């Protein structure tokens, strides 16, 4: 694929604390990579060529525009301390080893879902030509579960 030079307006959705999440010792995804990406953008001076926006935390009703309301509601309730009380739901929503339950899971989901919503709104309102939210879809969630 050839990249074409464009004079388009770039925007990037970024929130520094999204990289502080810990998925566990055996999980290959390390969200600190998002912070490393940010530092590379700064080091190469790319930030001067784009606008950077802090994402809003998506409301559950916004998340339910794509995800099923029962899945969103479950994500609000689940945490590392109570996950063993919900084995059926954990299996139903495909949470576990590959899609771990971690501290502040729902807030993390709100932040990166909010960033994706913000990027889409900026594009739809023609406020930019290219919008980047590297945290968006971090774990390829589907309508009714975390991943399959």
């Amino acid at each position: 694929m050839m990249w074409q030079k464009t004079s388009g307006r770039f925007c990037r959705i970024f929130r520094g604390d999204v990289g502080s999440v810990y998925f566990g010792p055996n999980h290959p995804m390390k969200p600190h990579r998002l912070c490393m990406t940010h530092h590379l953008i700064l080091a190469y001076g790319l930030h001067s060529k784009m606008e950077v926006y802090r994402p809003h935390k998506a409301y559950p009703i916004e998340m339910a525009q794509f995800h099923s309301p029962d899945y969103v509601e479950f994500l609000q309730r689940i945490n590392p301390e109570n996950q063993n009380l919900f084995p059926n739901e954990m299996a139903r929503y495909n949470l576990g080893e590959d899609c771990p339950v971690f501290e502040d899971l729902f807030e993390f989901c709100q932040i990166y879902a909010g960033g994706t919503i913000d990027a889409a709104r900026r594009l739809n309102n023609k406020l930019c030509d290219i919008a980047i939210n590297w945290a968006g879809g971090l774990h390829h969630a589907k309508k009714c579960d975390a991943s399959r």
Side-chain angles (χ1 to χ4, degrees), residues 35-56:
C35 292
M36 291 170 53
T37 302
H38 179 68
H39 290 295
L40 284 171
I41 288 169
L42 294 175
Y44 282 104
L46 297 174
H47 63 288
S48 65
K49 306 209 182 296
M50 63 179 75
E51 299 172 9
V52 179
Y53 296 94
R54 183 178 173 90
H56 81 286

Side-chain angles (χ1 to χ4, degrees), residues 17-24 29-32 102-104 108:
D17 60 349
V18 82
S20 64
V21 174
Y22 182 59
F23 284 13
M29 178 56 194
K30 307 296 181 214
H32 72 271
F102 52 86
E103 200 63 42
D104 299 321
F108 182 76

Side-chain angles (χ1 to χ4, degrees), residues 37-100:
T37 302
H38 179 68
H39 290 295
L40 284 171
I41 288 169
L42 294 175
Y44 282 104
L46 297 174
H47 63 288
S48 65
K49 306 209 182 296
M50 63 179 75
E51 299 172 9
V52 179
Y53 296 94
R54 183 178 173 90
H56 81 286
K57 281 187 186 177
Y59 291 101
I61 192 120
E62 290 178 288
M63 295 168 77
Q65 290 177 357
F66 176 78
H67 298 290
S68 63
D70 59 316
Y71 176 49
V72 173
E73 189 274 329
F74 183 70
L75 290 174
Q76 290 179 76
R77 289 188 296 131
I78 194 72
N79 62 57
E81 289 76 38
N82 71 7
Q83 67 181 336
N84 63 335
L85 301 175
F86 302 101
N88 294 337
E89 291 88 346
M90 292 283 291
R92 175 180 174 196
Y93 299 118
N94 198 29
L95 294 170
E97 188 174 322
D98 189 44
C99 300

